[in-house]
């Protein structure tokens, strides 16, 4: 049963959104990774949200470029947290996707992360932290990973300083 859904607007987004799945895997969080479009497959998007909610999905992560309406379309169908990852897919450098993701009407919020792979990774971390509010084992795994980040910086500093 997936706790997190990762939606992408098209197959071309996979390279940018794959790091999201990798972080969730490293934390032991079940997820579903799929393609659905706010514009091309709105019925599929609505059906997926409904089915995943019924199966216990707690957080939705949506990566999309250009008009980037996927996160907003999902937010319109659920009261569960929706995290948006704007993707750079246009000559505008992702600014179009960023603005489309961050500008939601009151009552239909989308937590907007950074562009592309960094945003995808942080969306997974934030989803895990949301889940960890009611899962102490997951909270412990997150703390352990963070200690690893600290240790990595300390080792790098020691290596640099000789």
């Amino acid at each position: 049963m997936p706790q997190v859904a990762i939606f992408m607007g098209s197959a071309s987004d996979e390279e940018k959104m794959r790091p999201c799945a990798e972080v969730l895997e490293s934390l032991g969080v079940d997820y579903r990774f799929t393609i659905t479009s706010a514009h091309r497959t709105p019925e599929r998007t609505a059906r997926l949200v409904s089915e995943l909610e019924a199966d216990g999905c707690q957080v939705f992560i949506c990566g999309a470029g250009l008009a980037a309406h996927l996160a907003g379309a999902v937010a319109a169908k659920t009261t569960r947290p929706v995290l948006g990852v704007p993707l750079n897919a246009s000559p505008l450098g992702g600014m179009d996707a960023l603005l489309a993701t961050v500008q939601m009407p009151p009552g239909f919020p989308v937590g907007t992360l950074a562009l592309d792979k960094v945003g995808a990774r942080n969306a997974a971390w934030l989803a895990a932290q949301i889940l960890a509010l009611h899962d102490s084992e997951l909270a412990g795994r997150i703390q352990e990973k963070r200690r690893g980040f600290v240790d990595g910086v300390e080792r790098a500093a020691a290596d640099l300083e000789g």
Side-chain angles (χ1 to χ4, degrees):
M1 158 188 333
Q3 297 172 284
V4 176
I6 305 168
F7 292 166
M8 304 175 292
S10 72
S12 63
D13 299 331
E14 183 178 359
E15 179 186 344
K16 293 176 183 175
M17 291 302 293
R18 179 60 63 186
C20 184
E22 292 167 355
V23 169
L24 292 173
E25 284 174 19
S26 77
L27 293 169
V29 174
D30 291 330
Y31 64 91
R32 176 148 179 212
F33 191 32
T34 193
I35 300 165
T36 190
S37 170
H39 302 109
R40 294 181 297 269
T41 60
E43 295 83 8
R44 173 179 166 72
T45 301
R47 186 181 78 250
L48 282 168
V49 171
S50 178
E51 290 172 359
L52 285 160
E53 262 193 6
D55 288 342
C57 184
Q58 296 298 305
V59 182
F60 292 87
I61 297 172
C62 302
L66 302 173
H69 292 138
L70 183 56
V74 171
K77 297 294 183 185
T78 185
T79 58
R80 306 225 171 131
V82 177
L83 307 177
V85 180
L87 303 177
N88 182 0
S90 79
L92 299 175
M95 188 58 86
D96 49 343
L98 175 61
L99 293 175
T101 305
V102 79
Q103 294 292 344
M104 291 294 113
F108 299 87
V110 170
T112 306
L113 286 298
L115 291 169
D116 297 335
K117 290 180 179 182
V118 170
R121 285 185 191 97
N122 275 337
W125 284 105
L126 184 53
Q129 288 178 267
I130 291 167
L131 295 171
L133 291 170
H134 302 287
D135 183 339
S136 61
E137 289 180 14
L138 177 56
R141 291 192 302 272
I142 292 169
Q143 286 290 6
E144 184 179 320
K145 293 282 187 183
R146 284 186 168 195
R147 279 191 295 277
F149 294 148
V150 170
D151 293 344
V153 171
E154 295 290 346
R155 281 191 305 275
D159 290 346
L160 179 68
E161 295 168 7

